[in-house]
Amino acid sequence: MTLKGRLPRSSNATFLVEVALEGACALAVYKPERGERPLWDFSPGLFKRELAAYHLSEALGWGLVPLTGAARTGP
Protein backbone atom coordinates (compact mmCIF):
# COMPACT_ATOMS: atom_id res chain seq x y z
CA MET A 1 0.00 0.00 0.00
CA THR A 2 1.47 3.34 -1.07
CA LEU A 3 0.01 6.56 0.29
CA LYS A 4 -0.85 8.99 -2.54
CA GLY A 5 -2.56 11.78 -0.62
CA ARG A 6 -5.28 12.83 1.79
CA LEU A 7 -8.88 13.24 0.62
CA PRO A 8 -10.17 16.70 1.58
CA ARG A 9 -13.48 17.47 3.28
CA SER A 10 -13.62 14.17 5.18
CA SER A 11 -14.75 14.16 8.80
CA ASN A 12 -12.21 11.43 9.56
CA ALA A 13 -8.71 10.76 8.25
CA THR A 14 -9.26 9.48 4.69
CA PHE A 15 -6.46 8.73 2.23
CA LEU A 16 -6.02 7.80 -1.42
CA VAL A 17 -3.65 4.84 -1.68
CA GLU A 18 -2.31 2.62 -4.40
CA VAL A 19 -2.47 -1.08 -3.66
CA ALA A 20 -0.45 -3.69 -5.52
CA LEU A 21 -0.46 -7.45 -5.57
CA GLU A 22 1.44 -9.71 -7.94
CA GLY A 23 1.97 -6.96 -10.52
CA ALA A 24 -1.62 -5.66 -10.48
CA CYS A 25 -2.24 -2.14 -9.12
CA ALA A 26 -5.39 -0.23 -8.18
CA LEU A 27 -6.36 2.96 -6.38
CA ALA A 28 -8.25 2.63 -3.12
CA VAL A 29 -9.54 4.64 -0.17
CA TYR A 30 -7.91 3.96 3.19
CA LYS A 31 -9.59 5.05 6.44
CA PRO A 32 -7.41 4.18 9.41
CA GLU A 33 -9.19 3.50 12.68
CA ARG A 34 -6.60 5.68 14.42
CA GLY A 35 -7.84 8.67 12.38
CA GLU A 36 -11.49 8.34 13.38
CA ARG A 37 -13.29 11.12 15.19
CA PRO A 38 -15.21 9.36 17.98
CA LEU A 39 -19.02 9.43 17.98
CA TRP A 40 -20.98 9.28 21.20
CA ASP A 41 -23.40 6.63 19.87
CA PHE A 42 -20.90 4.27 18.13
CA SER A 43 -18.01 2.29 19.50
CA PRO A 44 -14.56 2.68 17.87
CA GLY A 45 -14.14 0.99 14.51
CA LEU A 46 -16.47 3.04 12.31
CA PHE A 47 -14.88 1.46 9.22
CA LYS A 48 -16.74 -1.72 10.16
CA ARG A 49 -20.02 0.01 9.18
CA GLU A 50 -18.74 0.45 5.63
CA LEU A 51 -17.72 -3.20 5.44
CA ALA A 52 -21.15 -4.23 6.74
CA ALA A 53 -22.94 -1.99 4.22
CA TYR A 54 -21.00 -3.56 1.35
CA HIS A 55 -21.64 -7.13 2.49
CA LEU A 56 -25.35 -6.45 3.08
CA SER A 57 -25.76 -4.82 -0.33
CA GLU A 58 -24.06 -7.80 -1.99
CA ALA A 59 -26.05 -10.37 -0.01
CA LEU A 60 -29.31 -8.71 -1.04
CA GLY A 61 -28.17 -8.43 -4.67
CA TRP A 62 -28.46 -4.65 -4.68
CA GLY A 63 -24.91 -3.85 -5.85
CA LEU A 64 -25.22 -0.29 -4.46
CA VAL A 65 -22.01 -0.03 -2.44
CA PRO A 66 -18.63 0.12 -4.22
CA LEU A 67 -16.27 -2.80 -3.66
CA THR A 68 -15.12 -2.57 -0.07
CA GLY A 69 -12.14 -4.61 1.07
CA ALA A 70 -11.46 -6.14 4.42
CA ALA A 71 -9.77 -4.54 7.38
CA ARG A 72 -6.05 -4.10 6.68
CA THR A 73 -3.05 -2.69 8.44
CA GLY A 74 -1.62 0.28 6.62
CA PRO A 75 0.84 3.12 6.93
Side-chain angles (χ1 to χ4, degrees):
M1 184 184 318
T2 304
L3 185 64
K4 295 293 185 179
R6 188 167 184 165
L7 299 175
R9 299 184 195 100
S10 298
S11 59
N12 293 305
T14 307
F15 302 94
L16 177 65
V17 296
E18 182 178 63
V19 291
L21 179 65
E22 298 175 0
C25 294
L27 293 176
V29 173
Y30 173 57
K31 295 181 172 185
E33 183 175 8
R34 191 170 67 184
E36 291 179 357
R37 193 178 314 173
L39 299 175
W40 68 271
D41 55 347
F42 284 97
S43 58
L46 297 175
F47 67 92
K48 295 174 190 171
R49 295 184 306 170
E50 295 187 27
L51 287 170
Y54 170 74
H55 289 294
L56 179 62
S57 175
E58 290 301 299
L60 295 173
W62 293 349
L64 296 174
V65 180
L67 177 63
T68 304
R72 298 278 189 261
T73 300

